[in-house]
Amino acid sequence: MTDSSFIQAQQRVAARRQAREAEAAARVAAQREASRASARLERLPFPFNRLSPAWNALLSREGTRPAFRVAQVDAELLDEELVVLLKDQVSDALKYFGGGHLHDDWSAEILLALRAILFKLTVWDHDATYGAALQNLRYTDARKHGPVLSPPSRLQKSLYGLVTIFGKYAWTRWEDWLLEQDDGYNQPSPRVRRLSRLTSRLTTIHSTAALASFLVFLLHGRYRTLLDRILRMRLASPTSQVSREVSFEYLNRQLVWHALTEFLLFVLPLIGINKWRRWLGKTWRKTREMMRTGAEGDSSADGEYGFLPERTCGICYQDQNDSATTETQIMAAAASSGVVGSAQTDITNPYETIPCGCIYCFVCLATRLEREEGEGWTCLRCGELVKECKPWSGDVLEPAVTTFRSTSAKTVAFTDDVAGGVLEEEVPQREHVAQEETSAENSAEDFDEGFDEGSDMVDEVSDMGSDIGSDAGD
C-alpha cells in the first residue's frame, strides 16, 4: 500500500467517526429535549400528567422497518378481497335454492362460516393470513423482545378470532335488528331509540380510535389495526432476508401497453395514416381488378356495382349490403326481396360524377369525396377515378302502363301459370271486363238512337201545332 492510499483510508475512517459522533450527539440532544418535555408533562395536574408515557411512545421510532407498512396494509386489503370473492362464489352456488333469496337472507351466516374457515386455515394453523403470507409477513407476540420473533399465544389467537369472526357477526346482526325496529312508518319505542343512539356513539368512538391507531401505525409501523394494538400482536417478517412474493409483471405490462398506446395516438396523426389507408385501399382494388380481368379475359372497366339500376345509389347499397363482397353474393341477397335495391337505396338529390357521369346521392357522393381529401374516389359503377361532382341535369321519364287492377297489389305466380304475359286466372276477369265494355258501347248506341227518334217526334208535334194554329187564324 502506498502512502497516498493509506492517507486516504485514514481520512475516510476519520470522516465516518465524525459522522457517528454527530449522529450520537443529535440523538442525545433529542433525548434531552424529550426528557424535558416529559418532565413538563409530569408537572401538569392529574388528568394531563398521564400523557407523558404516550408522548415518549410517540417520539420513539422503535418498530418494524418503514418498508413493511405498505405490505401490512396490502395484506389486510388482500384478505378482505378474498372474503368478498368467496362470498360471491357461494352466492352464485346458492342462487337457485330457496327461491333465489337464500344468499340474501343468510348473508351474515355465510360470512361467519367463511371467516371461521379462513381463520382456522391461516392464523390458527400458520400464524398468518393469506394476504400476510403473500407479503412474507407473520403474526408475532410483541410482548416478547429478543433476536428471535415469538409466535402469538393461543389466548391471543383465540381472542383475535373471537373478535374478528363472532364480533363482526354479532355487530351486523345487532344493526339489522335496529333497522327492523325502525320501519319508517311508526315511531320506534324509547328503548329502541336509546339503543340506536348508544350504537351510533360506540361506532363513532371506535372509528375515532381506529383513526388514531392508524396514524400511530404510520409513524411507528408496529400495529396495523386497533385490535392488534390491544392484543399486542403485530405483523413482521420471519427472516431478515425479505423478498416480496407479489409479482408486478402484470402491472408493468399494463403500464408499458398504455405508454405505447399514448405514443401511437400522438404519432399516427403526424404520419398521416389516412393517406396510407387510401393507398392500400387503391392498391387492393387495382390488384383485385387485375385478378378479375385475368380470370374472365375481359378488359372492361366496370365497377363492382355496375349491374345496379340507375335509380339505385351504389354507395347506399354498399352500406346496406356490406356483408356481400361479390356480385354473386349480392344478387343472391337481392333475390330474397325480388328486386335489386329498395326504397332505402333509391337516389335522393341526384348528383353526377365528373368525368364518368354516374349518378349518386349528393350526401353519399360528397362524403366519399371529402374522405379522400382530393386524391380521388373510385366509382362503384364504372371504376373511374372521381374527384368532382355536379348536379344532375337529366329528368325521370316513366312510361304510362295500363293496368286492370290496383297498382298496390302484387301477384306472385309460377311460369307455368303464365300464358302470353297474362295469368290464367286473370283471363276470365279480362273477358268479363271486355263484355262490360261492349255492353256499355251498345247501351250508348241505343241511347243515341232513342235520342234521335225523340227529337224527330218533337219536331213532328211542333209542326202539327203550327198547322193547327194557322187554320184557327184563318
Side-chain angles (χ1 to χ4, degrees), residues 10 17 27 32 37 46 67 77 106 117 127 138 146 162 222 241 259 274 278 282 290 334 386 395 405 408 423 432:
Q10 290 293 329
R17 186 182 297 111
R27 190 183 303 109
R32 289 177 181 176
F46 168 69
L77 296 177
W106 299 90
I117 294 172
D127 299 332
R138 185 171 296 180
L162 183 65
R222 289 176 61 86
Q241 302 292 334
N274 292 329
R278 289 192 297 270
K282 292 179 181 179
M290 292 174 60
V386 179
D395 196 1
R405 52 169 49 186
S408 61
L423 291 176
H432 179 68

Side-chain angles (χ1 to χ4, degrees), residues 379-405:
C379 181
L380 298 178
R381 290 183 175 273
C382 61
E384 292 288 338
L385 187 63
V386 179
K387 294 185 179 181
E388 297 177 350
C389 64
K390 64 178 181 179
W392 183 50
S393 58
D395 196 1
V396 179
L397 299 178
E398 295 184 358
V401 179
T402 304
T403 57
F404 296 94
R405 52 169 49 186

Side-chain angles (χ1 to χ4, degrees), residues 89-307:
Q89 294 293 331
V90 175
S91 300
D92 293 339
L94 298 177
K95 64 181 179 180
Y96 296 110
F97 295 93
H101 303 285
L102 186 62
H103 61 279
D104 295 330
D105 298 337
W106 299 90
S107 177
E109 284 73 15
I110 292 173
L111 285 177
L112 174 66
L114 292 176
R115 288 195 177 105
I117 294 172
L118 290 176
F119 174 77
K120 175 61 175 63
L121 297 177
T122 56
V123 178
W124 188 264
D125 293 342
H126 303 286
D127 299 332
T129 60
Y130 286 117
L134 287 174
Q135 301 293 336
N136 196 17
L137 299 174
R138 185 171 296 180
Y139 275 110
T140 59
D141 190 356
R143 298 173 298 178
K144 300 178 181 179
H145 301 280
V148 180
L149 299 177
S150 301
S153 62
R154 288 183 174 271
L155 179 60
Q156 288 177 317
K157 291 191 289 187
S158 300
L159 293 175
Y160 182 85
L162 183 65
V163 175
T164 56
I165 300 173
F166 296 98
K168 290 183 177 180
Y169 171 74
W171 188 260
T172 302
R173 280 303 181 188
W174 173 256
E175 290 181 343
D176 293 342
W177 183 80
L178 292 177
L179 290 176
E180 290 176 358
Q181 299 302 317
D182 187 8
D183 54 0
Y185 298 98
N186 300 322
Q187 186 71 17
S189 62
R191 182 173 63 88
V192 174
R193 290 199 298 270
R194 287 195 300 270
L195 292 176
S196 299
R197 289 195 296 268
L198 180 60
T199 303
S200 300
R201 292 175 182 175
L202 290 176
T203 303
T204 304
I205 293 172
H206 177 267
S207 301
T208 306
L211 175 61
S213 176
F214 185 74
L215 293 177
V216 176
F217 164 75
L218 294 179
L219 181 63
H220 291 167
R222 289 176 61 86
Y223 304 106
R224 180 187 59 182
T225 60
L226 184 61
L227 179 62
D228 295 346
R229 187 175 299 277
I230 295 174
L231 298 178
R232 302 297 297 277
M233 295 171 56
R234 66 168 183 168
L235 288 172
S237 176
T239 59
S240 59
Q241 302 292 334
V242 181
S243 61
R244 279 183 174 268
E245 297 186 10
V246 178
S247 177
F248 294 98
E249 182 181 358
Y250 176 76
L251 179 60
N252 295 334
R253 192 184 309 120
Q254 290 289 356
L255 291 175
V256 171
W257 174 252
H258 284 297
L260 179 61
T261 304
E262 293 179 358
F263 176 74
L264 291 178
L265 291 176
F266 175 74
V267 171
L268 288 180
L270 302 178
I271 296 176
I273 191 63
N274 292 329
K275 296 182 179 180
W276 289 96
R277 180 184 57 81
R278 289 192 297 270
W279 180 79
L280 291 175
K282 292 179 181 179
T283 305
W284 167 248
R285 286 193 295 268
K286 291 180 180 179
T287 305
R288 186 171 58 181
E289 291 175 0
M290 292 174 60
M291 294 175 59
R292 185 182 303 173
T293 303
E296 298 177 356
D298 187 8
S299 58
S300 61
D302 294 336
E304 54 181 339
Y305 291 104
F307 60 91

